[in-house]
Amino acid sequence: MPDKDELALYDAVSNLEQAGLTSKVGDDDGTAVYTVEEFELALTVRETEVSITPELIEGIAQKNESPAIERVLADYGIITFAFAYDLVMAHSKGRHDPADREPHRPVAWTRV
């Protein structure tokens, strides 16, 4: 029988699937394989808007493997992390101007 944490995980995956954010694409040796559907969620905090995308969520999910990610999230929050993530990704692709982002990586910073 699954423990409490496993049941919570199954519920979370089920909720994401019901919301249309994930889709089961197969099985790998008895383990369900899911894909994340494209989505964009705009979040406004203190007059700054940031777009939450699957790429950003994937970056946040790596916090357990990277103390730096966990530290930035804990100390500065998701908006600062999103901005830093966008800059790091652009820099790793050889672009040093924050405005020079790929169109599919929409971290939008606007004052509202």
Side-chain angles (χ1 to χ4, degrees):
M1 175 152 174
D3 66 19
K4 181 177 72 171
D5 291 336
E6 288 175 310
L7 289 174
L9 177 62
Y10 294 141
D11 285 344
V13 170
S14 177
N15 290 341
L16 291 171
E17 192 172 16
Q18 288 176 4
L21 297 175
T22 63
S23 298
K24 186 175 178 181
V25 294
D27 289 296
D28 184 13
D29 292 327
T31 301
V33 178
Y34 288 83
T35 186
V36 177
E37 302 298 331
E38 286 297 319
F39 68 88
E40 182 177 341
L41 171 71
L43 174 68
T44 303
V45 176
R46 294 187 205 114
E47 299 179 354
T48 301
E49 183 179 288
V50 62
S51 295
I52 309 299
T53 63
E55 295 87 1
L56 181 63
I57 302 277
E58 184 178 355
I60 291 170
Q62 296 175 30
K63 73 179 185 176
N64 292 337
E65 290 82 37
S66 174
I69 291 173
E70 190 169 12
R71 189 171 46 251
V72 170
L73 284 167
D75 292 350
Y76 302 104
I78 192 169
I79 291 189
T80 299
F81 175 80
F83 183 65
Y85 180 83
D86 197 38
L87 291 175
V88 167
M89 295 307 291
H91 184 75
S92 72
K93 294 179 181 174
R95 292 187 311 273
H96 303 289
D97 181 353
D100 185 24
R101 294 191 288 278
E102 292 181 11
H104 74 279
R105 178 66 191 104
V107 172
W109 298 97
T110 56
R111 291 281 183 193
V112 289

